[in-house]
Amino acid sequence: MKFGAHVSIAGGIDKAPQRANDLGCECFQIFSRSPRGGKPPELRDELVKSFLDECSKYNIAEYYIHTPYYINLCSEKKDLRNSSIAIIKEELKRGSTLDVKYAMTHLGSSKDTGREQAVKLIIESLKKVMDNGDFSTQLLLENTAGQGATVGDSFEELADILEGVREFDIGICIDTAHLFASGYDIRSKERFKETLNIISNTIGIENIKLFHGNDSKVGLGERKDRHEHIGKGKIGIDGFKNIIKSRILDNINMIIETPPNKVGDDIKILKKLRDK
């Protein structure tokens, strides 16, 4: 298991690898565009070459893209769904240009549609994203904390979506803070084993491609998305130790999305847990 963090692309996407290296990252995650909206920066040939050269310079072979926050694949508004589809498709193309391994996305909110209809719309939308797409970057669906009407907080729901798009190569990114806030406990060996069994019987361990390693400011099942530094939140060190020491998860990398002022310390903590 390798550890990394979400890093800024301020000043150019090719500045990200050095920032990642300075934090002690072995892999990293970026937004390839503003997560709030607007036109993405052009991926000119010289910029792509500079980015790839920097990754090689710092010996970082794996890096990932997170799609913008405003994605909603199950909105009742067709224009918003179509816009979300187009943006994810574009991010997969950009990722393929940059040799990105994974691009992960949130699924959206069922506030105006109801849960069952939302899952149907997500499946339809994902099929449109993947249809005729020749991407080397794999799309991952991220679990949610269950706040509001967001879709994807249960593994049963994610399994239904994966089943609906089984003809495509789509995986799962598990955010530990979201996992905990949505009611899945990983703090003790017993509860961690129970959660693994649920995963195995729904989405399948083999479909987990990446972790977002975040502690949680909120308690088990409180259904709020509040990230905390590793060991400082309600999950605690033992929860991350369980993940890192699990033999069936040891080839899945972990990206930290905690506040940037101490994210380097988070990486050091996780490395120490791995190396013990």
Side-chain angles (χ1 to χ4, degrees), residues 37-222:
K39 187 178 180 180
E42 183 182 354
L43 295 180
R44 305 179 309 278
D45 289 347
E46 59 269 27
L47 181 60
V48 172
K49 183 179 184 303
S50 178
F51 174 81
L52 295 175
D53 286 347
E54 288 292 290
C55 287
S56 178
K57 175 181 177 181
Y58 295 110
N59 195 31
I60 302 178
E62 291 192 27
Y63 38 89
Y64 322 108
I65 283 176
H66 198 302
T67 63
Y69 293 131
Y70 49 85
I71 295 294
N72 192 343
L73 297 175
C74 54
S75 172
E76 68 169 356
K77 299 177 181 177
K78 188 175 181 180
D79 288 349
L80 180 53
R81 292 202 309 275
N82 287 339
S83 173
S84 298
I85 291 165
I87 289 169
I88 296 175
K89 210 175 189 70
E90 188 172 32
E91 288 300 279
L92 289 170
K93 290 178 181 177
R94 290 167 68 81
S96 298
T97 298
L98 293 166
D99 287 342
V100 167
K101 188 167 186 178
Y102 303 128
M104 70 264 343
T105 187
H106 296 165
L107 297 171
S109 171
S110 64
K111 180 181 178 181
D112 302 316
T113 56
R115 212 71 176 186
E116 185 176 345
Q117 176 65 6
V119 169
K120 290 180 180 178
L121 288 174
I122 288 169
I123 291 170
E124 290 176 9
S125 296
L126 289 173
K127 286 180 177 180
K128 290 178 181 178
V129 167
M130 301 303 295
D131 189 39
N132 296 320
D134 185 18
F135 311 120
S136 60
T137 297
Q138 184 181 7
L139 179 63
L140 306 185
L141 314 180
E142 184 175 342
N143 66 313
T144 69
Q147 68 277 19
T150 53
V151 179
D153 60 305
S154 77
F155 288 118
E156 289 80 7
E157 198 163 59
L158 289 170
D160 287 344
I161 293 168
L162 285 184
E163 175 62 23
V165 293
R166 61 185 179 278
E167 66 267 37
F168 300 110
D169 188 20
I170 295 177
I172 297 293
C173 170
I174 292 183
D175 185 303
T176 55
H178 300 173
L179 179 78
F180 188 72
S182 63
Y184 298 99
D185 202 349
I186 58 173
R187 293 171 294 184
S188 70
K189 291 181 179 179
E190 294 77 15
R191 298 290 88 77
F192 177 68
K193 184 178 180 180
E194 288 176 5
T195 295
L196 277 186
N197 285 338
I198 293 170
I199 293 172
S200 181
N201 291 326
T202 52
I203 62 170
I205 300 292
E206 70 278 4
N207 285 314
I208 305 173
K209 305 300 180 181
L210 188 69
F211 282 107
H212 281 167
N214 304 303
D215 212 325
S216 175
K217 288 186 176 182
V218 304
L220 180 68
E222 288 191 21

Side-chain angles (χ1 to χ4, degrees), residues 13 18 115 254 257:
I13 204 166
Q18 181 176 348
R115 212 71 176 186
M254 183 177 286
E257 299 175 311

